[in-house]
Amino acid sequence: MSEENRKQLEKETEQNEQIEAMGQVVLQENDKNYHIHLLSIIGEVEGHESLPNNSKTTKYEHVLPKLAVIEDSKEIDGLLILLNTVGGDVEAGLAIAEMIASMKKPTVSLVLGGGHSIGVPMAVSADYSFIVPSATMVIHPVRSNGMFIGVMQSYRNIEKIQDRITGFIASHSHMPQKRIEELMLDTSQLVKDVGTMLEGKEAVKEGLIDEVGGISQSLEKLYELIRQQKCNGNFA
């Protein structure tokens, strides 16, 4: 085996290991020579408590350090986030969303399958967001498990958390906070729940997501954002 083939094999093996372990890989074979970090957020977002082993999860203690590494890296030009999540831990999901939103590196998100519950803030946290036509976004009120010691105090706490979420979504999308709250409290759509399910085109029409598109459109947009940043001399 030639030295070139050996290096290529080692590279492919490393990429496969990254995908298997973390759902992450660096895309660098494009004709623009940009290094794109691909981050997938799938299943349920795991917070401070571990979920069962048979659950497909994204662990926030893995994602947060990786985002810091991406932001600090001279090698990475941009971040592409793939989302197919049912939601999960509110604090963990919001922490990931805030981290993405604060990055200087160009970021693009693509919703595949679903971006439900706390997945909504993560989807809109990127500089630009896409959704495939068949994907759905579910907006619903914050829920809490466990015993309520003080009903009014617990309600106010949940209300504050909910305000943080709706405020974040409104500030990172084109959907007004009032409209988000209206969809969140809709009783006519979900049979066993309160809230609203938006399909791809509906999410764009409401101003929640920027554009309907897939992987090629997402990458082209990210290339455009990277090119703009490099032309402006604005490097992270």
Side-chain angles (χ1 to χ4, degrees):
M1 182 183 295
S2 68
E3 182 66 17
E4 183 178 348
N5 288 339
R6 186 184 66 79
K7 287 183 178 179
Q8 182 63 30
L9 182 60
E10 289 178 353
K11 182 179 178 182
E12 290 177 0
T13 301
E14 183 180 355
Q15 284 190 340
N16 289 336
E17 288 174 353
Q18 284 183 318
I19 293 171
E20 184 177 351
M22 303 287 238
Q24 302 180 31
V25 69
V26 175
L27 308 176
Q28 54 189 3
E29 301 297 332
N30 55 82
D31 57 6
K32 298 172 180 60
N33 293 319
Y34 292 154
H35 288 195
I36 308 298
H37 192 97
L38 177 65
L39 171 68
S40 59
I41 298 176
I42 58 174
E44 190 168 351
V45 178
E46 187 177 273
H48 301 297
E49 296 182 4
S50 297
L51 294 169
N53 291 331
N54 60 349
S55 297
K56 184 68 70 175
T57 65
T58 295
K59 300 179 185 297
Y60 89 114
E61 69 267 28
H62 292 169
V63 176
L64 294 183
K66 177 56 70 174
L67 291 174
V69 169
I70 294 167
E71 178 69 359
D72 191 55
S73 173
K74 294 180 180 179
E75 302 297 324
I76 301 299
D77 297 303
L79 172 65
L80 177 62
I81 307 131
L82 302 183
L83 290 112
N84 187 2
T85 176
V86 295
D89 187 280
V90 171
E91 297 290 347
L94 203 52
I96 293 172
E98 289 280 13
M99 193 88 160
I100 294 170
S102 67
M103 296 177 72
K104 290 183 179 179
K105 292 283 175 71
T107 57
V108 169
S109 65
L110 173 60
V111 180
L112 302 158
H116 300 175
S117 190
I118 201 62
V120 176
M122 288 188 284
V124 304
S125 64
D127 296 325
Y128 202 87
S129 56
F130 286 90
I131 185 170
V132 296
S134 62
T136 56
M137 310 285 288
V138 173
I139 302 172
H140 63 70
V142 173
R143 304 182 184 92
S144 180
N145 295 324
M147 180 177 65
F148 291 131
I149 296 176
V151 175
M152 285 304 299
Q153 293 89 336
S154 297
Y155 174 76
R156 287 171 186 156
N157 184 49
I158 292 173
E159 196 173 40
K160 287 180 180 179
I161 295 172
Q162 197 159 281
D163 285 343
R164 287 165 56 200
I165 294 171
T166 56
F168 182 92
I169 296 171
S171 64
H172 291 86
S173 71
H174 303 292
M175 182 183 283
Q177 188 168 356
K178 184 177 180 181
R179 179 58 176 160
I180 298 169
E181 291 169 353
E182 287 175 358
L183 297 178
M184 185 176 281
L185 300 174
D186 190 352
T187 59
S188 64
Q189 284 205 33
L190 305 180
V191 177
K192 294 183 179 181
D193 200 356
V194 177
T196 299
M197 177 182 288
L198 299 172
E199 294 181 352
K201 291 182 179 179
E202 293 175 317
V204 174
K205 184 179 179 181
E206 287 282 357
L208 185 61
I209 298 295
D210 290 311
E211 190 175 336
V212 174
I215 186 66
S216 60
Q217 291 89 346
S218 300
L219 283 170
E220 283 301 322
K221 184 63 179 181
L222 189 52
Y223 297 155
E224 177 188 330
L225 294 176
I226 293 169
R227 185 168 60 252
Q228 288 175 358
Q229 187 180 77
K230 288 182 179 292
C231 288
N232 294 336
N234 182 22
F235 299 100

